[in-house]
Amino acid sequence: MSTQQLPVKGCAGLDLRGGIYLDAVVIGAGVAGLYQLHRLRDMGMSVRAYEAGSGVGGTWYWNRYPGARFDSQAEIYQYWFSEELYKSWQPSERFPAQPETERWLNHVADTLDLKKDIQFNTRIASAHFDEENEVWRIETTGGEKIVTQFLIACCGMLSAPLSDHFEGQASFKGQIYHTALWPKEPVDLKGKRVAVIGTGATGIQVIQTIAPEVGSMKIFVRTPQYIIPMRNPKYSKADWDQWSSRFHELKKRVRETFAGFDYDFDAGPWEEKTPEERTQVLESLWEDGSLSLWLASFPEMFFDEAVSEEVSEFVRGKMRERLGNDPKLCDLLIPTDYGFGTHRVPLENKYLEVYLQPNVETVDCKKTAITRVVPEGIETADGTVHEVDVIIMAVGFDAGSGALSRIDIRGRNNRSLKDQWQQEIRTSMGLQVHGYPNLFTTGAPLAPSAALCNMTTCLQQQVDWITGCIDYALKHGNQVVEATAEFEDDWVRHHDETAAKTLVVKTDSWYMGSNVEGKPRRLLSYIGGVGNYHKRCDELARDGYPGFQMH
Ligand code: NAP
C-alpha cells in the first residue's frame, strides 16, 4: 500500500517483453538491501528485492564457516532508524557469531514484514539500460524479466568469492569448501586431515575454531597478518538496557567518527607524547580487545613510516611472546614487510597458539607456492603433494567491484560496467557511476563502505542518501538521475589524492585490488573518513544534488 503518491514513471505504454514492472528493484537482501527495501516501500513505491540466497542476511547468510563472527561491537553493528528495533533484540555478547547475526537480520526482516517483497533463490544475470524508455531491463539467471525505473545494487563488497581459484580443484577426491560458500549442513571435520589456505580475517577465524576438532591441520601461509586478541564478554539484559539508554548518543557518534565506530582517534598527537605515554595508550587499547588499537589510536600510523614502524613493532612484540619466541614461527607468522593497519586487522582468539599444537603443520607459500590441487591434496612448487581429506579455501573475494562486475550491467550506449572496471575502477562517491542513469550502489568502490567502515553505519547512510535523492528527483518532476562525468572526475581525483597521502596504498591486499590478477590498482575504499564522507553527502542533498544531472 502506498503511503504517499510519488510521481513515478510507471509502465503505461511500455513493452514489458513478457516481464513485470516495478518502480524499483533492489539487488540483495543483506544489511543494506533490507533497509533499502524498507525505505522505498515506505515511500509508496512498488519494489522488490532479489536475493540469490534462500534467506536474508547477505554476508551473514553466506559466510557460515566455523568461527564466523563480526568484529564491530554489537551495540554499534546496528540499524539506527528505529530505537524500538534496537531495543527489541538483545545480543548475547560483544561480538556475536554468524548464527546469531543471521537470526538478528531475520528478526529485522520479520519485524518490518520485508520477506513478502523479497524473491529468494534468484540471481540477477543482467541489467541493461533501455535508453529510449529510460528504464532498466533486468533478467535473472532463470530467465525472468523485470523492467524497472530505479535499480539499487546492495550486493555487498565482499560477496564475490574467489571460489575457482586453483587449477585442478574439480579433481580433488575429498571435500573442498570456500568459506563464503559454506554448506548449511554440518561439516564433520573430526579426526580429518584438513588443509586451510589463507590467513586473512576469515582464515584466522576458521583455524582457531576448528583446531581442537581436526585430526591434523596443514595451514598454507603466504602473507602473515598483524592481529589483536578479541575480548568478547557476554552481554546481560542489564548490559543491553545500558546500551539501549545510549541509543541516540551512539547513533549520532557513529556517523561522525573516522570509521563509523563509537571510538575515534582521541588519544592526542603522537609527537606530543613521551614514549611511555604512547606505550600506555597502545597497551590500554590492546587490552580493550577491539579494533580500537587500529581505528582509535594514532592516525599518524597511516601517514608516517616511523610511527607505523613503532606501532607495528609494539604488535610484533606481543605476537612474539605468544609464539614463545620460536624463530621459525615468528618468521612465518609475524609481518615485517608492511605496516600495522595498512591492511584489515583481524581480531582473534588463541589463533597463534594453534601453531604450537603438535598436529599442526605450516606450509610457507612464499617459498613454495601452491601450484594446483590434485586428487590426493595440494601440490606445491617443490613437487610435494600435501595429502589431505578436506581443503578449506579462505582465499578471499573479488572485493568491491566483483559483485557488480559479475552481473552484465550495460548503461548508456551499451557500455559495460565490467569492461570499464577492467580498465579502471571509478564511481561517483560509490553511489553512482556516470553513464548508468538511475543505477545506485551501496558498498561499491570509492566510498568508506567499500572497506573502511563499520558496515551498518555506512550502508545505512548510503541507503538514506539514495532514498533522499530519488525522493528529491521525483518531487521535483524528474525521472532520471545520473552523476555527471565532471563530478565523477573530481571525486576520483579527491579519492586518489587522499589515498596517496597514506601508507595503505603501499601494501598489497584486497584493499588495493591486488589479490585478483589483472584487477586495476586503486584503493577500493575512500579513506577520508566516514564523518567527512557523510558531511559531503549531506551537503549534496542540502544543495539540491549538484553533480547529479536530473531530468
Ligand atoms: P583475504 O583477506 O583476502 O585473505 C585471503 C587469504 O588467502 C590471504 O591470506 C591470501 O594470501 C591467501 N591466498 C589467496 N590466494 C592464495 C594462494 N594462491 N596461495 C596462498 N594463499 C593465498 O580474505 P578473507 O580472509 O576472506 O577476508 C576478507 C575480508 O572479509 C576481511 O579483510 C574483512 O574485511 C572481512 N571479514 C571480516 C570478518 C569479521 O568481521 N570478523 C571476518 C572475516 C572476513 P595473500 O595475502 O598473500 O594474498
Side-chain angles (χ1 to χ4, degrees):
M1 262 296 276
S2 297
T3 50
Q4 52 175 302
Q5 279 310 314
L6 280 173
V8 287
K9 195 178 194 58
C11 61
L14 203 61
D15 178 1
L16 298 181
R17 300 177 198 162
I20 60 160
Y21 182 83
L22 294 162
D23 295 330
V25 161
V26 175
I27 311 178
V31 168
L34 290 177
Y35 183 45
Q36 186 66 79
L37 174 62
H38 171 63
R39 290 294 318 267
L40 292 174
R41 213 174 60 173
D42 238 31
M43 277 165 68
M45 286 187 146
S46 65
V47 52
R48 188 180 291 175
Y50 289 85
E51 166 57 52
S54 64
V56 301
T59 283
W60 302 109
Y61 170 88
W62 294 102
N63 288 271
R64 47 185 77 239
Y65 60 83
R69 69 177 67 240
F70 57 62
D71 44 24
S72 301
Q73 307 91 285
E75 59 271 18
I76 53 129
Y77 198 90
Q78 286 290 338
Y79 286 108
W80 298 107
F81 63 89
S82 162
E83 189 174 357
E84 209 183 336
L85 185 64
Y86 186 99
K87 291 179 174 170
S88 71
W89 183 261
Q90 191 201 303
S92 66
E93 53 192 347
R94 193 186 191 198
F95 300 106
Q98 176 273 334
E100 181 170 324
T101 307
E102 191 187 12
R103 282 200 300 279
W104 166 59
L105 288 167
N106 273 279
H107 164 73
V108 171
D110 292 335
T111 305
L112 302 173
D113 196 16
L114 294 174
K115 288 179 184 167
K116 67 175 194 281
D117 291 314
I118 303 172
Q119 186 169 323
F120 293 104
N121 303 305
T122 308
R123 194 175 278 283
I124 301 299
S126 65
H128 294 183
F129 189 64
D130 169 346
E131 280 189 70
E132 196 190 325
N133 296 295
E134 299 194 301
V135 288
W136 283 93
R137 293 190 181 273
I138 298 168
E139 204 161 322
T140 68
T141 49
E144 266 180 272
K145 292 184 172 64
I146 308 119
V147 181
T148 193
Q149 181 172 354
F150 297 102
L151 176 58
I152 301 98
C154 298
C155 28
M157 18 68 83
L158 289 161
S159 55
L162 300 174
S163 51
D164 195 13
H165 200 54
F166 298 102
E167 186 193 320
Q169 278 179 214
S171 72
F172 183 55
K173 283 192 302 199
Q175 291 85 44
I176 188 159
Y177 303 105
H178 189 289
T179 47
L181 298 169
W182 199 267
K184 283 186 184 161
E185 305 70 44
V187 174
D188 185 13
L189 299 173
K190 220 193 218 141
K192 301 238 167 90
R193 298 170 305 165
V194 177
V196 180
I197 310 173
T199 53
T202 303
I204 285 175
Q205 290 185 332
V206 173
I207 289 164
Q208 67 193 19
T209 307
I210 66 172
E213 176 189 354
V214 296
S216 64
M217 178 155 52
K218 279 208 177 185
I219 307 176
F220 291 74
V221 184
R222 193 164 64 183
T223 307
Q225 291 264 21
Y226 294 99
I227 45 90
I228 302 171
M230 172 184 277
R231 201 175 60 80
N232 190 15
K234 297 288 174 214
Y235 277 177
S236 66
K237 162 110 179 40
D239 291 326
W240 198 245
D241 287 348
Q242 190 266 334
W243 287 117
S244 294
S245 72
R246 294 179 56 198
F247 175 82
H248 293 285
E249 172 206 334
L250 291 169
K251 172 182 175 166
K252 181 167 180 297
R253 175 73 176 157
V254 295
R255 291 175 179 190
E256 294 165 350
T257 58
F258 173 75
F261 288 74
D262 55 339
Y263 40 65
D264 208 351
F265 297 115
D266 296 327
W270 173 269
E271 64 190 25
E272 288 176 15
K273 293 205 164 359
T274 63
E276 292 73 30
E277 286 169 339
R278 291 169 188 162
T279 308
Q280 226 171 37
V281 171
L282 297 176
E283 286 286 2
S284 87
L285 294 176
W286 180 264
E287 283 307 312
D288 185 50
S290 69
L291 296 176
S292 60
L293 181 73
W294 177 34
L295 301 169
S297 55
F298 297 105
E300 293 88 342
M301 75 166 114
F302 293 106
F303 304 99
D304 183 324
E305 299 267 10
V307 178
S308 168
E309 179 51 26
E310 277 197 52
V311 177
S312 302
E313 192 43 36
F314 171 84
V315 178
R316 287 184 204 124
K318 298 282 187 193
M319 293 177 73
R320 271 186 226 112
E321 267 175 43
R322 301 245 318 258
L323 290 168
N325 286 306
D326 178 312
K328 191 168 161 263
L329 285 179
C330 288
D331 206 33
L332 183 74
L333 297 172
I334 300 179
T336 49
D337 57 0
Y338 68 96
F340 173 80
T342 58
H343 174 28
R344 171 67 145 79
V345 184
L347 298 183
E348 55 75 51
N349 204 323
K350 300 214 172 2
Y351 160 69
L352 290 176
E353 286 70 15
V354 171
Y355 291 86
L356 305 172
Q357 282 182 208
N359 61 343
V360 172
E361 268 183 67
T362 54
V363 179
D364 183 346
C365 294
K366 269 203 176 119
K367 290 193 180 130
T368 50
I370 295 172
T371 44
R372 58 186 176 139
V373 174
V374 294
E376 297 74 28
I378 296 167
E379 189 182 279
T380 45
D382 56 357
T384 309
V385 172
H386 302 271
E387 291 191 22
V388 288
D389 306 310
V390 178
I391 299 175
I392 299 178
M393 304 212 315
V395 293
F397 303 84
D398 183 355
S401 56
L404 286 165
S405 297
R406 289 180 184 189
I407 301 171
D408 176 23
I409 297 177
R410 310 256 166 180
R412 279 190 291 103
N413 306 319
N414 201 35
R415 72 188 70 194
S416 149
L417 191 62
K418 177 181 168 199
D419 290 352
Q420 269 182 252
W421 280 0
Q422 258 166 7
Q423 302 303 314
E424 187 191 0
I425 296 173
R426 301 166 59 84
T427 70
S428 296
M429 297 183 76
L431 294 163
Q432 279 209 309
V433 182
H434 171 66
Y436 300 82
N438 281 354
L439 168 65
F440 292 89
T441 53
T442 64
L446 277 60
S449 62
L452 288 165
C453 191
N454 169 41
M455 280 309 146
T456 53
T457 304
C458 286
L459 294 173
Q460 279 172 97
Q461 184 268 332
Q462 289 193 313
V463 167
D464 285 334
W465 189 92
I466 290 166
T467 311
C469 180
I470 292 175
D471 187 65
Y472 176 93
L474 292 174
K475 286 184 177 156
H476 285 77
N478 298 302
Q479 298 296 341
V480 180
V481 182
E482 181 186 350
T484 64
E486 298 71 40
F487 181 85
E488 192 156 294
D489 284 347
D490 285 350
W491 179 254
V492 173
R493 195 175 316 115
H494 168 68
H495 170 93
D496 284 353
E497 281 168 7
T498 312
K501 291 181 196 144
T502 73
L503 302 171
V504 174
V505 295
K506 296 187 175 171
T507 298
D508 283 343
S509 80
W510 68 262
Y511 276 14
M512 294 301 297
S514 54
N515 66 326
V516 176
E517 216 185 315
K519 189 164 173 172
R521 195 176 173 89
R522 171 165 276 149
L523 181 59
L524 283 170
S525 180
Y526 176 60
I527 198 168
V530 168
N532 289 334
Y533 176 84
H534 196 157
K535 235 165 91 188
R536 191 119 187 212
C537 287
D538 283 353
E539 282 163 9
L540 286 172
R542 186 199 58 204
D543 298 342
Y545 302 92
F548 291 80
Q549 198 273 328
M550 298 189 185
H551 66 266

